[in-house]
Structure formats: C-alpha cells, structure tokens
Amino acid sequence: MTDGTHPSSNPQPEPAPGNGGYGFPPVPPAPGNGYGFPPGAPAAGGGFGPPPQIPPADGGGYGYPQPGAGPPNPYQPAPASRPQPWAQGLPIQSTQPPAAPGPFPPPQADQPDWEALADRSAAERRKKRLWMIGGGVTVLLLLAGGGTFLLLGDDKDKEEAAPTASPSVSASPSPSGSKSKAPVDNTPTVKDDPTQIRDRSGKAPLKMGPDAGVFPIEKRFEIRTKGNENSYAESEKRVVDTAKSFTVSAHVWNRAPKGRQIAVSQGNEKSFSFELGLDQVNGKPSWIFRVQTGDQGAEATMVTVTGESPKMEKTFSTLTATYDAERKLIALYVNGKKTGEAPVSGIYQAQGPLEIARSRHEDKWTAPWSGAMETLQTYDVVLSPAQIDTLKPGRVDAKTKPTASWLLY
C-alpha cells in the first residue's frame, strides 16, 4: 500500500533477455515494424498496424504478446477459426467508431446555446416589464379620469342642492321654511372670567369659591367641590321666588353619602328657605328636599320629603324638587320618579342668593357638598311628572324655558 506520495518500493521483475516484456523491447524495433508508426513508408498491405504476415520479432514488440506465444493473456480474445482480414492482407474495416484521444473526454451530444437562451430570456423580461408599465399607466389614467368625473359630479350635486338663501346662519327660521338654528354655545364659564359659571337661560352667573372649579367630562362640563367652606358657588342675587310655584333640578354625584350634604339651597344670612341634597334620615342616607316655613329656621318649622335610589354614591343621580304654591305642596323626584310629597303652610321668603354646594343654618355655612354637579336648572312653574321625567338624562324640558340654567349638556 502507498499513500500516493511515495511510490511502492517493491522491485519489479526484469524481462527476459531478448524479450520485449511489458511492451517496451530492449532494442529498437526492426525497420518497418516499430510501435505501429514506422519511420518510413508502410509495408505493403500493412498500414500503420501490425504487419499482415510477419510475426513480431522475439515474440512481442507491439505491446502485447501474440497468440500462441508465451502464457495466455486474459485480455486477449481467443483466435477465431475464421481468418482475420489483416491476416489476408486486406484493409481493416472496423465497425466501432474511433476512440477519442486519452486525455480528452468522449465527444458529448450537442449542447444548447446558452448565450442565445439568455438573450431570449432577457428580451422576454423586457417585454413583460414594458407591458406591466403600460398597464399601470393605463390604470392610473382611468382612475384619475374616474375620480375627476366623481368630483365634478359631486360638486354638481352640491350646487343643485345648495339653497339660494344667504349662507349666514340665522337663529330664527328663514322665509323659505328652513329649520336651521344658530350653533349651541356650550361654553361653561363667563367670557373673560373663568371663575363664574355662565347662566345659559337668564342673567344669574354663579361665582365660584377658591376651592371649586369647572372641569370637562366627556362632552360636557361639571363643577367639582371638595366639601369644605371654600368650595362652593353662589349667585349675586335671588334666583327663585319662594312665594310662588317653582321647580329646582340638579344632576349630582357625591364621593360618599355621609352626613348632611346640600347641592342647591337659597336663603339669607340667618337660615335657608329650601335645600336639596343628601342627609341622614332614620340612620341611613337619603335624598332630601327640605323647606323652612318660619323665619327663624327652627326645627319645628321645617318640612322634609325624602327619597332613595339603588346606588347613592359615586354615580350620577337627578334630583328634582317642586313647590306648588296653590296647593301648598312640596314633592321630591329622584331620577324622574316621585319619591315623596308633603303639605306645607308656605315657604319662608328669604331674599338671599342661590347657593351651590352649601346651605345656611343658624347663621353659619353648613353641609358642604363633596363631589360634582351639572345640569342645574330652575323654573318658575311646577313641572308635570312627564316633564320631570325628560330631565332625567340632564336635558332642558322642551316645552318650558328655565329661568336659569348652568352646565347644561
């Protein structure tokens, strides 16, 4: 065995003297014989192969032993009984194609013209790309033309549908019967004074204390108070005439139903005339509407009606109080439903301002509200139960105009 870098060191047997041995005779071949390519002209009938009838010298010479000379060669076909053409001096006609030279591979079948194929493929790609570009341009042109047509058609429709009246907005109906109205101004505070809550229906803005403020909530606004003596809002003068029938309503939210908390009240420096809010009644929280029939604010001259709701904290509830001056009857509605009523001899006619988030009792400010309020309204009539039910979501009754309203939505 050898690794291919060092040849085997086993000595090879030397050929017998005078014998060509391994196809390489020790002496130059006889003239005209050689290795198949004689230096001179070929012998008659011999060509460039072995001579037709002359046996090779010394039993070999042409690179392989002749039949009958030496030991049998396993790679040499046995002699045929039929005379071979070369033995008769005839030209050899081989039926096999000539073998290719050793160093080169046998001839291959015809190979495709790769360069021509590449050129044709590139040409097809260019053609396809041109088609795609042309198609895209066509689509864009069609879309542009269609969009222009739609825009022109839409403008035409608008021109046909546009009214012939002036485009300016008017609060009153136009002569042609148009129902267009001026846009609603939902600004919560007075212009140039954010400390005053704007009266949407009358002329009674509410001045806020230092610890009260108006804040947006979703698409509306609310006043928020902290439950202390500086967290309130009040009008400059009286808003509700307690000698006549009236309705007061407020959409309220409280942090915790503890103790007495008043959302809306009116009175004077000594006592309230009425108050609407929350109080402890018989040991549990209740919505209350309480009025004072005497001028001293004594417990004996107070009349209270109460109501409840499934949840009374951290949720909005609509409280509505009414006084029927003809019938001498007060009533309370919670979320549009009547919860109680009581007869009274009348209501003390205090001339003080309307108060938000506090009440007056025994010459002191009491019952501060801790929470928020919105949609505050007063009416100079007794609203019917059906009208009060429309106030439940915090909207103004469509049939009756309020005397004052704040933070509507």
Side-chain angles (χ1 to χ4, degrees):
M1 296 293 290
T2 176
D3 58 2
T5 58
H6 301 285
S8 173
S9 61
N10 295 332
Q12 299 294 325
E14 296 293 334
N19 192 351
Y22 306 105
F24 297 94
V27 294
N33 194 353
Y35 301 106
F37 296 92
F48 296 101
Q53 293 179 346
I54 302 176
D58 298 328
Y62 300 106
Y64 53 89
Q66 298 299 317
N73 190 345
Y75 300 99
Q76 181 73 22
S81 59
R82 176 180 171 181
Q84 300 298 324
W86 58 270
Q88 301 177 8
L90 300 176
I92 299 176
Q93 298 180 357
S94 175
T95 60
Q96 300 295 330
F104 302 96
Q108 302 292 329
D110 293 340
Q111 297 293 326
D113 191 344
W114 297 111
E115 183 175 357
L117 290 175
D119 292 341
R120 186 171 63 183
S121 177
E124 290 179 353
R125 287 196 299 270
R126 287 194 297 270
K127 184 176 179 181
K128 183 176 180 180
R129 187 163 55 250
L130 290 175
W131 273 105
M132 293 178 65
I133 293 174
V137 171
T138 302
V139 170
L140 289 176
L141 290 175
L142 290 174
L143 290 175
T148 303
F149 175 80
L150 290 176
L151 288 175
L152 291 176
D154 186 60
D155 289 341
K156 183 178 179 181
D157 292 339
K158 290 180 180 179
E159 291 176 0
E160 293 177 353
T164 57
S166 171
S168 61
V169 179
S170 175
S172 60
S174 63
S176 60
S178 174
K179 296 183 179 180
S180 60
K181 297 181 180 179
V184 177
D185 183 5
N186 289 322
T187 306
T189 57
V190 175
K191 185 178 181 181
D192 301 327
D193 189 355
T195 66
Q196 294 194 65
I197 303 174
R198 185 171 68 96
D199 183 358
R200 294 275 299 274
S201 304
K203 297 180 180 180
L206 301 176
K207 181 71 174 180
M208 290 183 286
D211 288 346
V214 171
F215 298 87
I217 174 173
E218 297 178 353
K219 296 182 179 180
R220 58 190 189 272
F221 296 89
E222 64 182 15
I223 178 175
R224 297 177 187 174
T225 54
K226 298 180 179 180
N228 60 46
E229 61 181 8
N230 292 321
S231 189
Y232 64 93
E234 67 177 359
S235 64
E236 185 179 357
K237 57 185 179 180
R238 186 186 70 176
V239 175
V240 178
D241 186 354
T242 57
K244 300 177 182 179
S245 298
F246 65 86
T247 300
V248 177
S249 181
H251 204 50
V252 300
W253 184 97
N254 71 294
R255 292 185 177 87
K258 296 180 180 179
R260 179 166 163 256
Q261 300 182 55
I262 299 304
V264 184
S265 70
Q266 185 176 284
N268 57 19
E269 71 281 354
K270 190 172 183 68
S271 180
F272 64 87
S273 292
F274 72 85
E275 58 184 12
L276 175 66
L278 181 71
D279 200 355
Q280 298 290 320
V281 178
N282 298 325
K284 62 180 181 180
S286 298
W287 302 116
I288 61 103
F289 176 42
R290 182 179 289 128
V291 299
Q292 179 61 257
T293 61
D295 60 355
Q296 299 300 317
E299 295 290 337
T301 57
M302 291 182 188
V303 180
T304 303
V305 289
T306 64
E308 296 179 0
S309 59
K311 188 175 181 180
M312 300 181 64
E313 63 178 320
K314 296 182 180 179
T315 186
F316 272 103
S317 301
T318 301
L319 306 181
T320 305
T322 63
Y323 169 58
D324 189 337
E326 295 181 359
R327 300 173 59 193
K328 299 292 194 254
L329 192 68
I330 61 172
L332 174 65
Y333 296 77
V334 178
N335 297 326
K337 304 300 180 183
K338 182 185 288 188
T339 61
E341 63 180 15
V344 294
S345 58
I347 298 177
Y348 172 57
Q349 299 181 33
Q351 301 298 315
L354 189 77
E355 300 289 340
I356 304 297
R358 66 180 181 177
S359 181
R360 192 75 173 175
H361 185 60
E362 296 180 353
D363 303 328
K364 296 179 182 178
W365 293 114
T366 61
W369 182 271
S370 178
M373 281 175 272
E374 63 183 19
T375 314
L376 303 164
Q377 304 173 75
T378 64
Y379 296 83
D380 57 3
V381 296
V382 178
L383 295 182
S384 67
Q387 290 175 309
I388 292 173
D389 191 56
T390 65
L391 301 178
K392 195 168 49 175
R395 294 183 175 86
V396 178
D397 177 68
K399 297 180 180 179
T400 306
K401 182 180 177 180
T403 56
S405 59
W406 306 269
L407 302 174
L408 298 178
Y409 69 95

